[in-house]
Amino acid sequence: MSTAIGFIYPDHAAEDDYPLAEKLLQESGVSVSLEVAHIYGTDLHAVPELLDLGSPEKLSQGAALLAEKQPAAVVWACTSGSFVYGPDGAPGQIAGLADDAGVPASSTSFAFVNAAHTLGVKKVAVAASYPEDVAALFVQFLAAGGIEVVAMSSQGIDTAAEVGTLTPEQVLDIARAHDHPDAEAVLIPDTAMHTIGVLADLEAELGKPVLTANQVTIWEGLRLAGFTSVQPSLGALFRGRLDNDNLRS
């Protein structure tokens, strides 16, 4: 019997990354189902809208939608809708979600920090799809988690729906263009972007770990649920054992 892991996903864009990852995980012997529940709001990459999208009321709705699946853990699958609360507000956001869901919870923003720590990465390049003011908030969030951003780019894309239409080659182009020689890894922080199917190509192209939003979100859910997994097609993050030591739970 599969263990369910719940993901609260905003609107619609790249949620098909989750069944693809589930298939790959099951092929590697991990008996999990990745359950996605949708909440809705404007998909603008703008601070007021993102604060509303990640509000306690909306996340509580998502937790209620997932309840019948009896998930072992729940993750708020939105980077911008979590880091916009800042390093002081984001812990309360996931604490509230954990209370509502009755299981361990996290968000994509904390997943990025935990994934970087697991890989021993301290210096990164950020290839963001967001407008610059929103991307800068992600840089601040990473800095609070002890991760130095040596290069940051912003594509200036205003909506998640537009990000969801980027082709695999466009995703590769964004990563190629915004790597940095001092970066130990490249971070691509938008769950609206399809990345699960191109992780192997991204890392082969750049020659270093690449952390993407849906990848780290899924990894975080597995970690919280107590799973270990080796699935090389999901990137360097999945080539070793998941490690709960010294990570935010």
Side-chain angles (χ1 to χ4, degrees):
M1 182 176 177
S2 294
T3 298
I5 301 173
F7 301 91
I8 301 172
Y9 191 94
D11 294 282
H12 295 274
E15 64 267 29
D16 45 340
D17 268 3
Y18 290 79
L20 174 57
E22 179 184 286
K23 178 176 181 290
L24 293 169
L25 288 165
Q26 289 179 349
E27 287 174 356
S28 67
V30 183
S31 184
V32 294
S33 62
L34 307 184
E35 304 292 341
V36 178
H38 295 272
I39 59 171
Y40 297 95
T42 177
D43 71 343
L44 279 175
H45 288 144
V47 171
E49 286 78 8
L50 292 169
L51 288 169
D52 177 69
L53 189 62
S55 67
E57 295 77 18
K58 282 196 165 57
L59 294 188
S60 182
Q61 292 171 16
L65 290 170
L66 287 167
E68 67 178 47
K69 303 295 185 180
Q70 298 183 317
V74 172
V75 185
W76 169 218
C78 183
T79 324
S80 55
S82 47
F83 69 66
V84 73
Y85 278 77
D88 293 329
Q93 184 188 52
I94 62 169
L97 176 57
D99 286 343
D100 286 334
V103 294
S106 189
S107 69
T108 305
S109 293
F110 284 118
F112 269 111
V113 172
N114 287 335
H117 288 327
T118 289
L119 290 175
V121 166
K122 296 181 179 179
K123 295 183 178 182
V124 303
V126 171
S129 55
Y130 318 121
E132 187 171 357
D133 63 327
V134 175
L137 295 176
F138 184 52
V139 173
Q140 294 172 21
F141 192 92
L142 292 173
I147 301 164
E148 179 185 354
V149 177
V150 296
M152 188 276 280
S153 64
S154 56
Q155 296 299 114
I157 300 176
D158 288 326
T159 68
E162 185 179 352
V163 174
T165 67
L166 295 173
T167 66
E169 189 55 43
Q170 287 174 311
V171 173
L172 285 165
D173 285 344
I174 290 169
R176 287 189 200 104
H178 302 299
D179 188 15
H180 189 280
D182 292 338
E184 299 164 329
V186 175
L187 276 54
I188 305 177
D190 196 337
T191 58
M193 189 183 295
H194 292 90
T195 59
I196 294 297
V198 294
L199 281 165
D201 292 337
L202 285 166
E203 293 192 336
E205 180 78 21
L206 301 182
K208 63 181 66 174
V210 176
L211 299 177
T212 73
N214 287 324
Q215 173 211 34
V216 300
T217 300
I218 292 162
W219 173 86
E220 183 81 334
L222 289 166
R223 183 184 73 80
L224 290 177
F227 280 88
T228 60
S229 174
V230 175
Q231 175 45 274
S233 62
L234 292 176
L237 184 60
F238 281 83
R239 292 194 191 111
R241 293 175 62 83
L242 298 177
D243 185 0
N244 284 310
D245 294 340
N246 302 315
L247 300 183
R248 177 177 293 276
S249 59

